[in-house]
């Protein structure tokens, strides 16, 4: 079997040792003689998985004992587009529009009240992060997207706002150090840095809840899930377990600080090749480049078939850009080994030699 | 490692050969050199998993080419309590209350309109299925729960109604033959007969949709998911895959007909021991007994410690009854081998000899 270099945008590569443990637990979980897939979610073994996962997510972000609750919910980040507004939007909310996902979040919020788009980078097909916008102080909350998976831009600064700050961190959670206590709510679909598809991490400061006048159906109410420690109904047992394995791996490796160092190195390596090599150009504005998703194009489209052939022959996977951008996207999540980036850079250089 | 006899109520036992394949796919899926956990949900390999799973679910129920769509959604059956009402309840809906889950479904429906409880077995702590109730013909739909996981009762007949018939089949889907085309909508959390926790099968007749006047947020709108073939957002990739493996297993074994034969045999074996053995009595009315979840109590509570010790020593797992019923519950889902039931019966007989 050929070695694969997996640059998939999500679901994406997870650490090899996580795959090993995850595979073993399907046959025998914790030496119980039972598969992790066949145990009750109310069993002591799984209750402790859920608890450790909730605690570890807070620990990795430095948010322990600061009034936050961590939940693992179903529905993906897309369900959070809806739930944030259902739970927090009384009259008006402020949104920063930095891409496809932010646009979808705005669409769902409009079901529940007025949405002020404080700024948008749609004018340049989201290849930059708007700056110097003003957030209305009378909005119920301000929502932003830390990393734009599709366009390869990433927010480097989060201005302090006087209203609750809500952030979709689906594609760069656990990738860098930051004062996460700036945020009143953070959510992230697991399927990038945290684990497999099927669970969504929601971290929420309890004191922002209970301020809307509408009634909220049980399953959509954060309070329901907080009261039941994320076990109101059957959770996505296996997705939570593999997320825990992945968070343990991050913790062992030195946490978010160590992840950031590695991510910066990988990103620097690839972006410097994109800039140096005349056959390639980056898609995003330099100052807004994402360390997670590098988007780039060929300067000469006629080289497309040759380049595609080269990287595929090398065992590279998942490099095609999203249809709304075209070109290429190299996703370099936490678990991607630096060697994978080196391999991609070599292929880019090989194209240069052969072109 | 001691052999385990897993009577868990859900998540629950799945076929051993499914565990083998499911474990292998974590290391290498379809000889791709990649884990099933790291591939894109838009990859050809996974798109074909989703398509096969949707088609096979309809095939197993005899619902192909009859105007039904099958979806695999996140959120559990509890999310369906909400979504059915959001999508179908304009003014008034009729519900049959046969237990905890039906009660929760009713609670969520009340957010959206009037709910007529056509009958309830609450008067006897849900140990029977009400009969001879009248369903109002001017209700938007009639909702029932085919099998009551907690109380061990099961509907044997579904009267034809003139309005759409919606059924929560979470705990007995794929367990018996029936004319499923009676139903306009069927939903089931995967974690009993279909697969692991984390995905929910929703089968819906398209012509019942689009009749409510309210606007429905994207993620809660069945039409969104139908239009996108259940891939509007990232699905629970692995839970859908393992559900497919389990459905393929059922199909190989002879489908729902073969499952029913086996389930009837297992249930007959256990219920006849419950009736014969003077130390035990069944909880549910005989005519309403579930073939999936057999609920029973000791006639002499002082034998509890001795019985618990015996079955635990034998490797039996998950036999404690739900707190709202007490006593014992033996869940005998499709994948439970008949030998497990024989073992339980032997333990019951051992108690009798020793008591
Ligand atoms: C930043 C961001 N937000 C939201 C989503 C949607 O996530 P889901 O598919 O889990 O609903 C994605 C998916 O890639 C994403 O990258
Ligand atoms: C009949 C029935 N309906 C609904 C549910 C709730 O399912 P979930 O936990 O997936 O929301 C269950 C759970 O056991 C059930 O047995
Ligand atoms: Mg985006
Ligand atoms: Mg260049
Ligand atoms: Mg019940
Ligand atoms: Mg008896």
């Amino acid at each position: 079997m050929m070695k694969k270099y997996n640059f998939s945008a999500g679901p994406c590569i997870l650490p090899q040792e996580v795959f090993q443990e995850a595979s073993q637990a399907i046959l025998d979980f914790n030496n119980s003689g039972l598969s992790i897939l066949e145990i009750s979610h109310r069993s002591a073994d799984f209750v402790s998985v859920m608890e450790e996962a909730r605690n570890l997510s807070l620990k990795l972000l430095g948010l322990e004992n600061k009034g936050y609750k961590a939940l693992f919910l179903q529905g993906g980040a897309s369900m959070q587009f809806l739930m944030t507004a259902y739970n927090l939007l009384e009259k008006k909310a402020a949104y920063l529009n930095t891409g496809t996902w932010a646009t979808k979040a705005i669409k769902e919020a409009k079901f529940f009240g007025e949405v002020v788009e404080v700024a948008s980078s749609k004018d340049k097909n989201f290849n930059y992060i708007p700056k110097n916008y003003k957030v209305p102080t009378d909005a119920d909350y301000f929502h932003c997207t830390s990393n734009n998976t599709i366009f390869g831009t990433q927010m480097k600064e989060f201005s302090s706002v006087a209203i609750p700050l809500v952030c979709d961190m689906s594609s760069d959670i656990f990738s860098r150090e930051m004062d996460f206590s700036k945020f009143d709510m953070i959510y992230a679909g697991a399927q990038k840095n945290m684990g497999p598809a099927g669970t969504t991490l929601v971290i929420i400061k309890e004191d922002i809840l209970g301020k809307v006048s509408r009634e909220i159906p049980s399953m959509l109410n954060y309070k329901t899930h907080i009261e039941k420690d994320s076990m109101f109904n059957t959770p996505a047992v296996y997705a939570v377990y593999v997320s825990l394995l992945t968070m343990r791996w991050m913790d062992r490796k030195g946490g978010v600080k160590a992840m950031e160092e590695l991510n910066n190195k990988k990103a620097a390596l690839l972006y410097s090749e994109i800039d140096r090599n005349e056959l390639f150009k980056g898609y995003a504005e330099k100052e807004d480049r994402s360390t997670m998703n590098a988007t780039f194009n060929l300067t000469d489209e006629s080289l497309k078939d040759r380049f595609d052939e080269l990287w595929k022959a090398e065992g590279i996977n998942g490099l095609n850009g999203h249809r709304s951008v075209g070109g290429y996207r190299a996703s370099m999540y936490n678990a991607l080994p630096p060697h994978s980036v080196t391999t991609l850079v070599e292929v880019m250089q090989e194209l240069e030699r052969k072109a």
Side-chain angles (χ1 to χ4, degrees), chain A residues 75-79 81 101 145 147-149 168 170-171 189 191-192 200:
Chain A
S78 299
M79 188 61 87
F81 297 162
W101 302 112
T145 311
N147 186 73
N148 302 287
T149 329
D168 173 2
S170 292
S171 54
Q191 66 269 13
K192 273 84 171 168
T200 302

Side-chain angles (χ1 to χ4, degrees), chain A residues 9 50 57 72 113 143 148 162 174 203 205 271 283 286 297 302 308 327 338:
Chain A
M50 178 59 94
S57 69
F72 286 86
H143 180 285
N148 302 287
F174 303 129
I203 290 177
K205 218 164 177 177
Y271 283 120
Y283 176 78
K286 281 190 187 179
N297 295 76
S302 75
D308 290 353

Side-chain angles (χ1 to χ4, degrees), chain A residues 150-347:
Chain A
I150 290 175
F151 303 96
T153 62
Q154 188 173 31
M155 293 176 75
K156 306 296 176 186
E157 269 172 38
F158 297 84
S159 45
S160 294
V161 286
I163 56 176
L165 180 57
V166 177
C167 188
D168 173 2
M169 294 196 187
S170 292
S171 54
D172 70 351
I173 193 157
F174 303 129
S175 74
R176 54 176 168 170
E177 282 199 296
M178 210 191 294
D179 175 8
F180 290 99
S181 71
K182 273 187 194 170
F183 301 95
D184 297 275
M185 182 179 157
I186 294 168
Y187 63 86
Q191 66 269 13
K192 273 84 171 168
N193 281 328
M194 195 174 71
T199 189
T200 302
L201 174 63
V202 176
I203 290 177
I204 192 158
K205 218 164 177 177
E206 282 197 273
D207 63 11
I208 67 169
L209 296 176
K211 309 227 161 126
V212 295
S213 54
R214 76 176 65 83
E215 282 198 81
I216 307 171
S218 318
M219 279 294 288
L220 300 179
N221 193 332
Y222 291 123
K223 286 190 169 183
T224 306
H225 299 289
I226 288 173
E227 265 163 37
K228 299 289 182 175
D229 291 332
S230 210
M231 298 272 262
F232 172 66
N233 73 323
T234 319
V237 169
Y238 191 67
V240 173
Y241 176 65
V242 181
S243 296
L244 172 60
L245 295 179
T246 311
M247 289 190 288
R248 281 185 189 155
W249 171 86
M250 288 187 249
D251 199 32
R252 278 199 304 277
K253 294 285 168 190
V256 161
K257 182 176 157 61
M259 296 297 127
E260 176 171 19
E261 281 166 19
L262 210 64
N263 290 330
N264 284 343
K265 276 188 200 152
K266 290 183 290 183
L269 188 64
L270 180 56
Y271 283 120
S272 69
E273 178 63 18
I274 289 171
D275 291 339
R276 188 205 60 75
N277 192 324
E278 301 206 336
L279 301 184
F280 297 95
K281 58 174 190 292
Y283 176 78
E285 288 293 338
K286 281 190 187 179
E287 62 177 7
D288 301 324
R289 279 174 168 176
S290 166
T291 55
M292 297 282 99
N293 315 94
T295 44
F296 56 99
N297 295 76
L298 284 162
T299 47
D300 175 359
E301 273 300 318
S302 75
L303 293 173
K304 180 175 173 3
D305 289 350
R306 201 182 300 181
F307 183 54
D308 290 353
E309 212 172 274
L310 281 179
W311 59 262
K312 283 176 188 167
E314 212 51 47
I316 286 173
N317 174 66
L319 202 67
N320 286 318
H322 189 274
R323 62 188 177 281
S324 41
V325 181
Y328 301 95
R329 170 173 53 171
S331 297
M332 302 174 286
Y333 296 116
N334 286 350
L336 187 86
H339 179 63
S340 296
V341 180
T342 314
T343 303
L344 172 57
V345 165
E346 282 165 8
V347 171

Side-chain angles (χ1 to χ4, degrees), chain A residues 78-126:
Chain A
S78 299
M79 188 61 87
Q80 295 311 309
F81 297 162
L82 166 72
M83 284 177 71
T84 47
Y86 220 131
N87 284 266
L88 303 174
L89 206 175
E90 177 73 13
K91 255 192 71 188
K92 174 166 102 177
Y95 277 71
L96 178 63
N97 191 354
T98 49
T100 308
W101 302 112
T103 306
K104 292 199 182 209
I106 290 167
K107 182 181 168 211
E108 296 308 297
K110 285 184 175 162
F111 275 89
F112 301 97
E114 187 193 340
V115 173
V116 181
E117 209 175 282
V118 298
S120 167
S121 45
K122 193 168 182 211
D123 57 340
K124 294 190 177 170
N125 199 30
F126 302 113

